Every structure is written in C-alpha cells, then in structure tokens.
Amino acid sequence: MPDCIALLPDHIANQIAAGEVIQRPASAVKELLENAVDAGATEIKLIITDAGKSLIQVIDNGTGMSETDARMSFERHATSKIQTIDDLFQIRTMGFRGEALASIAAVAQVELKTKKADDTTGIFIEVENSVVKKQEVIAAPTGTSIAMKNLFFNVPARRNFLKSNAAEMRHIIDEFTRVSLAFPNIFFSLFSNNQPVFHLEPGNLKQRILQLLGNNYNTKLVSVKEETDYMNIYGFVGKPDTAKKTRGDQYFLVNNRFIKSPYLNHAVTSSFREMIAKDSFPAYVLCIDLDPAHVDINVHPTKQEIKFEDEKIIYAFVQAAVKHSLAQFSVAPALDFDLDAAIQQLPSIQQPFTEKQQATTQSGSIFKGFTEMHQAHFIEPSKKNELKPWKDLYELSELNTEKPIENLSLEFLNNNTDEKIIQLHQQFILVSSSTGFILVQQQLAHERIIYEQLQNSLKGKNIPTQKSLFPITLTVSAADAILLEELSGDLLQFGYCVEPFGKNSFVLQGTPADVEQGNEKQVFDSLLEQFKHFSSELNFSKREKLIRSLAKQQATKTGKQLTETEMQFLVKNLFDCKLPNISPDGAPTYLEFKKDQLEKMFGK
Ligand code: ADP
Ligand code: MG
C-alpha cells in the first residue's frame, strides 16, 4: 500500500482557511475597514460594485505600508499587531490574527496600493490565487487602497452560495454600520454602484447614530453613562416608544468592537420590562470599555463573540446603568430633552399641580409603574451570587405562549342567523349560538382573512391599485431602501405601486383599492419592520414573508370599535377561510364555549 498523506498546496490550504474568515462580501468589508482603522486612518472610503461580488475597495489615509510590509501582509499569520501570546490580552487593535489579507488573496483578485507618509513613492501589488502577479513602484497618496475583485472567482461552489445582491448589500451595510458606529471620530463614506449611500462626517456618538440609524431618533435617545474602576459604559438607549418588532437597532461595542451577546442583550431588555411590549426589542447603542485583560476576544474567527472574565458583573452593571438612565428620563424629561413649543403651552405644564390632581395621578397605572417593584429604576439589592442564570430567565418568559386550539366545531354558524353580536373590550367579538358561544379576537381573525385573500391573489389576478391623486414621497434608511426596491415587484402584485425616486426615496403612486389609507410613511415603516421580523424565518419565501407582513399591517387592530355590520362581515369572512381557527402566526383566532360544558361547570 502506498503512503497516502500529502501536504496540501499553499493556495488550497489558504482557500480552506479563508472559509472561516471570509464567508461573504460583507466579511471582507469588515476586515478591510478594520485594517484601515488599525492603520490610524481619519478618512475611510468603501466602494462597492454588485453588492461586493465584482468589487470591494477600501481607501484609507492611514500609515500605509513599506514595500516589504506590503509583500508580507498577504502571508498567513503575518501581522504587525501582536508578537507574543501575552500580547493577546493587551489588544487595542481590531485585527491581530494576521489572516484577513491572506484569506482575501486566496479567494479573490486583489490590488494593493500603499504609501507611507515619509516615502516618496508607493508600491502596487497584484495578487491572485495567493500568488503575486505584479509588483511595481507607483506614485500614490499616503495611505492604503485595497481593491478585491471577483470574490470567489476560483471557488465557484462558494460563489453560488452567495445570496441576491439586495441580501448581500444588506450584510455589507450592517458591517459598515457596526464599524462606523464604533468610530464616530473617523470620516466614513460608502458608494454602491457609483451611487453615494453614506457620507459620515466625523462627530460624536449621537451624531453618528442619527447619520446611520436615521434622524427620527433625534428626540428619542436617552443617554447612558456610568463609570467605575472596572469598566465604563456609555451610549444611548431608545425611548420605550422606539422599540421595534425586530432586533434591528441593537449594538454592543466592547472596546470599540461590535459584539453579539444574547446575555447582555437580556440585561438591557430586562431593564425595559413593563415599559415596552413583551415581544418588542428596544434600540440601543452601548459602548463598554474595560481593560483588555478582562476579555478574551480570540474565541471566534470573526471576533463577534467574546468572553468576559466575569460576565455576571458586566450583566449587573449594564442592567443598572440602563435602569438608571431610563429612570432619570421618566422622572425629569424636561432636563434631558427639548420640549416642543406647543407642549410648553399645555395647561398641565403651565398650571400648578394641585393636591387633587396629585391624588388622581398617584392612583393611575403610569404612576404605579414608576413607583412599584419592577419599575424602571428599581434596582434590586444584590446579594452575592444571586444573579439568576440568564437561561432560566429566558425560559420563564417563554412559558406563557399558548398552543393553538384544534378541532373547533363550526355548527353554530348555521344556527346563528338572528342572534346578536357584541364587541367586548374593543377586541373580542362575542357570537352566541344554539350550542354555546364563541369569542373571536378581531385582529387575529382579520389577519387570517387578509392572509388568505393575498394568497388567493397570487393564484388569480393582481389586487387592483388605486392611483393616488397626490403621490407621496417616502424616504427610508439606506438599508430599507435596498429592501424596498427588492420588494417593489411583489408589492405591485398586492396593490402597492412604489417607484424608486433618487437616493433612498420612493414615490408611492398607488395603494390597494379597498385598503383604507392614511399615514403611508408609517404604513411602510411598519411593513418593512414586519418583513425584517420574519427574515430570520428561513422556511418562508420572500412572498410568504411579504404576505404575512401585509396581513399584519392591514388588519383591523385590537382597540378599534367595530360596527355591527363590520363584526358580521368579519365573522362571516373568517369562516369562509380555509383555516379559520388560527392566525397566520398560529395563535387561535377564536375560542369556543359549549353550552353543555358551561352548564356542567355550574353543577347542572
Ligand atoms: P491583522 O489585521 O490581523 O494583523 P491582516 O491580514 O488583516 O491581519 O493584515 C496584515 C497586516 O497588514 C496588518 O497587521 C498590517 O500591518 C498590514 N495592513 C493591512 N491593511 C493595512 C492598511 N489598510 N494600512 C496599513 N497596514 C495594513
Ligand atoms: Mg486585519
């Protein structure tokens, strides 16, 4: 038997290793941006073509590299950032593993131009398949430009794995957002297919948040700031009314590095308890700075997960800091925020607070919310080791989800021709019948009805559009603009005619003929929000996500008073559905109460 073990050639070994670091265009974007930051750049430009599939270029005005360093930089484990293993625990730079450029050079065609400030000439190097193709002296500005072309050109299997341009571009914007959020004092810009997407002038963290996440946060951020010997925390949380259905705007930056931490996220979310709906996600950008010796950032190839020496301390600290700032915001809003002139004129602000008013206020639920246990600023006295494992906390909060009810009988419908129909608490519709009665939940029932109507429309003809007399312009964030463009074809099928109109803007030319309109901006914001909420559901097609989002968006909401005709209409349409008993999300749309069971309960 011949021996059968052979060493892999370098370029194949590099390609395999590259899989860990460079999974998609966005991973390369992250590595290149971080290298520019590490090089001390004050201006960093990102240029993208075809969602990074054709070109990803980063130009910085940092230190640049010498000729030897430029050649060395493409070698695996070539780094200027650490020398000994001890250095690993003192890291202040974003990179240190010396893998990124080697990986990129293994899976793309790379062109590097770089010059150090003191050198008169720069150097140009072209690498392909980990092999240097060309090297020459050039004239260049101080700094570095790295262009990587045709990502995965030599690994077709990986290239085929890439998602649509819209999806890959979203990932790129995510990475760009994370890095530029961590360094608000650096100028960043992003061009995609020659169009400017972001132009971020240097500023403070709040300005950077508004540039990236949208100006609507302007009056909606509460500042967080606590300092101790062990760690500092600063940043912002969104006021409770900015909480969203998706995990969207949530950022932890530990020593300027974006990290994912469900554990710390729980610390923040729990501080909002009772201020926001159970299934919503508060917005936050929280920066935690601590001695690098207390964190291990080398537990994940892309460094998005890190290990704290003492996670519980960080948890308690984050929670306390957020609770504290939320409490301050609710107690003294006028200190922190500019009050609208119109609000200043309100009698409640102008007139003295009488004892009678005080008594009324104190018996109200809002007041209680702030003064009883579980209030925002109520920080439980911490005994040693008392912090519950976060998994337990999660499990507790999941206990409440109900299972859908099956096998409901529908006979009552036929017996329900002349019975009265009643709305209770602006959300339940009570319909009696000879066999008992049912309670319909109006919003869930309506979601089911719309869901099936939209599904049917896919089989038949489009839902008719009613042209707007005065088309409305919608401006959305850069990430949402990409999403909306991607969805516009399907939206037309469902009656919404949205056309691109310059940078991040769209014109709404028409809406479904039989859907009540008004406040289109909000309609689209929440539609996109809903869509993103479903994005983690891998089993759903794009259409399915859109239909579910539209059903939620268009459904009559809990809290709306209904006329008798509306109630009759709703109940009738519900039972015309193929699956009347569950909402698209699987919650029951109605509960049935049988007369004989009720009688039994009364001992009859
Ligand atoms: P790491 O960042 O982990 O050190 P990389 O493969 O990303 O590894 O980069 C290798 C080395 O190349 C870096 O340590 C740095 O010295 C040099 N380098 C990379 N990008 C730049 C840049 N934009 N400006 C200056 N030097 C750079
Ligand atoms: Mg690097």
Side-chain angles (χ1 to χ4, degrees), residues 31 35 81 95 100:
E31 296 296 336
N35 278 349
K81 298 167 194 174

Coordinates of all heavy atoms in Angstrom, one line a residue, residues 31 35 81 95 100, ligand 2:
E31 N -13.2 43.2 7.5 CA -11.8 43.0 7.7 C -11.0 44.2 7.1 O -10.1 44.8 7.7 CB -11.2 41.7 7.0 CG -11.8 40.5 7.7 CD -11.4 40.3 9.1 OE1 -10.3 40.8 9.5 OE2 -12.1 39.6 9.8
N35 N -8.8 47.0 9.2 CA -7.4 47.3 8.9 C -7.2 48.8 8.7 O -6.2 49.3 9.2 CB -7.0 46.5 7.6 CG -6.7 45.1 7.9 OD1 -6.6 44.7 9.1 ND2 -6.5 44.3 6.8
K81 N 0.6 43.4 14.6 CA -0.2 43.8 15.8 C 0.1 43.0 17.1 O -0.1 43.6 18.2 CB -1.7 43.8 15.5 CG -2.0 44.8 14.3 CD -3.3 44.7 13.7 CE -3.3 45.4 12.4 NZ -4.6 45.3 11.6
G95 N -7.6 44.1 14.5 CA -7.1 42.8 14.0 C -5.9 42.3 14.8 O -5.5 43.1 15.7
A100 N -6.6 38.0 7.5 CA -7.6 38.5 6.6 C -7.0 38.7 5.2 O -7.6 38.2 4.3 CB -8.1 39.9 7.2
Ligands
MG2 MG -6.9 42.8 9.9

